[in-house]
Amino acid sequence: MREFPLTLSQFIIQSQAAYPGATGEFSSLLTQIGLVGKLIAQDLRRAGLINILGATGDTNVQGETVKKLDMIANDDFVRVFQSSGYVCALASEEMEKPVFLPGNWPRGKYMLLFDPLDGSSNTDNNMPLGAIFSVLKYDRTDRLPTEADLIRRGTEQVAAGYLLYGSSTMLVYTVGQGVYGFTLEPGIGEYLLSHERIKIPDKGKVYATNEGNYSKWSEGTKKYLDSLKVNDKATGRPYSGRYSGCLVADVHRLLLGGGIYLYPGEVDKPEGKLRLLYEANPMAWIVEQAGGKASAGTSRILEVEAKKLHQRVPLFIGSRHDVEQAETYIQGRA
Ligand code: AHG
Ligand code: MN
Ligand code: MN
């Protein structure tokens, strides 16, 4: 018989067999993420032809320029999940307040937090983009969820993943049993298992950061970056610099080849740029599940206390050795 990789749905059904109590609701939720990915990928492929590039003229709750594609991607997530019956709350980078599904609406026990389009400064020049999602479970039956129920530590995630719109479209996720990657086969419109149990190398030789911000960084961060450029064959230096402006794409490269991504805090903006709940937490769990590390500089990302929906956090993420090395500099131990 002809060998054929498992489809996303087949893989999920097989993995679910290991959980006798599973209702299948969660599997269907991941399939819906896949659907959102297909919708967005389809728009991105034709973006230059159908007048959906450029900005809307608005700024979002983060004070950042909103691209037309940010809104399109956000609407795709909301539309698909509002009618899926699998979630009771949705929170997004592009929405100041979460959407709560009314009591008389088909609802499920999951809450989805997402960055609908990651790296959106890349939209207008055909560079990689992504989407990031984090899934939490809402167990209470005595009342509907509120915003406070969405603000939890990363350790409470039940699933996390990303969609990558690169030269191919991929869905990568974890439920805490390793990291699996699926590539969209456009001919049949299915995600096929292409990357089984992804393992990040313990040490890499690539760094990804917006080095244009160097003068705004702390002395520790500057010294760490300087250290990567030293010419020392024995320790594999200098590292190569690679930065796409899309966290998903940069972390995906590191997952497969090793190294470190950093978006540090700045002297005048110690909280950094990236958002904890729907960027740092899901990416951190994936990288940890692949054997790597994710740190805010002084603590593990997944243990950072979440206080606000759109909270920002410094991020150092990638190969275990590289992140530990960065921490020694940030903490003034090197
Ligand atoms: P988003 O497009 O969702 O706002 O995220 C952009 C993030 C991340 O993907 C990327 O690594 C970083 O911000 C780029 O920021 P700079 O342009 O400051 O380098
Ligand atoms: Mn983002
Ligand atoms: Mn975004």
Side-chain angles (χ1 to χ4, degrees):
M1 224 192 326
R2 189 158 69 117
E3 282 284 325
F4 199 75
L6 288 177
T7 68
L8 176 63
S9 327
Q10 288 170 338
F11 177 80
I12 296 171
I13 289 162
Q14 286 198 3
S15 332
Q16 210 175 279
Y19 300 93
T23 58
E25 221 176 297
F26 179 68
S27 322
S28 312
L29 184 144
L30 278 174
T31 315
Q32 298 298 303
I33 297 272
L35 171 61
V36 173
K38 288 188 216 172
L39 292 170
I40 299 173
Q42 161 131 322
D43 277 341
L44 293 176
R45 267 199 302 276
R46 294 184 282 128
L49 304 171
I50 54 174
N51 192 28
I52 54 171
L53 296 180
T56 60
D58 295 328
T59 48
N60 66 10
V61 57
Q62 339 265 350
E64 295 161 350
T65 303
V66 178
K67 296 294 188 75
K68 290 181 191 167
L69 277 161
D70 282 319
M71 284 334 298
I72 292 172
N74 189 69
D75 290 350
D76 283 344
F77 266 97
V78 173
R79 240 178 334 114
V80 165
F81 278 96
Q82 242 175 0
S83 48
S84 69
Y86 304 129
V87 296
C88 52
L90 296 167
S92 157
E93 175 186 310
E94 301 301 338
M95 304 191 296
E96 185 175 1
K97 292 284 171 198
V99 169
F100 296 104
L101 276 72
N104 60 353
W105 195 261
R107 283 178 310 124
K109 53 181 179 272
Y110 296 104
M111 304 190 288
L112 184 70
L113 298 97
F114 54 94
D115 172 359
L117 198 61
D118 175 61
S120 55
S121 66
N122 284 353
T123 50
D124 300 345
N125 38 41
N126 204 6
M127 296 272 288
L129 290 149
I132 311 173
F133 63 92
S134 166
V135 183
L136 300 172
K137 204 164 164 192
Y138 186 67
D139 285 319
R140 297 181 67 142
T141 49
D142 57 327
R143 62 164 177 82
L144 297 179
T146 64
E147 182 168 328
D149 294 308
L150 284 151
I151 303 173
R152 301 212 207 142
R153 267 171 215 251
T155 45
E156 294 195 37
Q157 296 173 104
V158 296
Y162 58 80
L163 288 153
L164 169 59
Y165 312 108
S167 44
S168 58
T169 296
M170 286 192 69
L171 193 166
V172 176
Y173 79 90
T174 186
V175 291
Q177 312 274 335
V179 182
Y180 292 86
F182 298 79
T183 301
L184 181 62
E185 158 59 88
I188 53 171
E190 289 276 3
Y191 292 90
L192 303 180
L193 180 60
S194 52
H195 296 68
E196 203 160 344
R197 282 214 162 261
I198 298 174
K199 282 282 162 231
I200 184 168
D202 228 24
K203 177 184 178 327
K205 39 185 192 291
V206 168
Y207 71 89
T209 193
N210 184 342
E211 217 172 331
N213 293 326
Y214 185 91
S215 63
K216 303 182 200 167
W217 292 343
S218 70
E219 285 313 307
T221 309
K222 285 179 180 169
K223 269 173 73 183
Y224 174 62
L225 227 285
D226 294 342
S227 77
L228 299 177
K229 299 177 183 175
V230 171
N231 192 0
D232 179 34
K233 222 173 173 179
T235 51
R237 294 178 291 170
Y239 277 30
S240 291
R242 296 278 186 277
Y243 188 67
S244 72
C246 170
L247 170 70
V248 166
D250 285 324
V251 170
H252 185 71
R253 184 208 326 263
L254 301 179
L255 265 186
L256 303 182
I260 183 166
Y261 170 103
L262 49 149
Y263 211 111
E266 296 169 2
V267 174
D268 293 334
K269 200 181 162 198
E271 71 281 15
K273 173 180 183 186
L274 298 173
R275 277 65 39 133
L276 175 64
L277 297 185
Y278 42 79
E279 290 184 311
N281 272 345
M283 297 311 275
W285 199 25
I286 291 169
V287 168
E288 283 197 4
Q289 279 291 313
K293 281 194 103 168
S295 168
T298 46
S299 65
R300 185 181 170 217
I301 286 286
L302 294 182
E303 284 168 18
V304 170
E305 194 188 341
K307 295 182 180 148
K308 287 194 301 188
L309 187 58
H310 299 290
Q311 181 171 333
R312 296 178 191 266
V313 71
L315 178 65
F316 302 83
I317 187 167
S319 294
R320 187 191 54 79
H321 169 86
D322 293 300
V323 173
E324 284 173 0
Q325 195 75 18
E327 282 178 323
T328 63
Y329 281 89
I330 308 305
Q331 295 168 11
R333 293 187 279 118

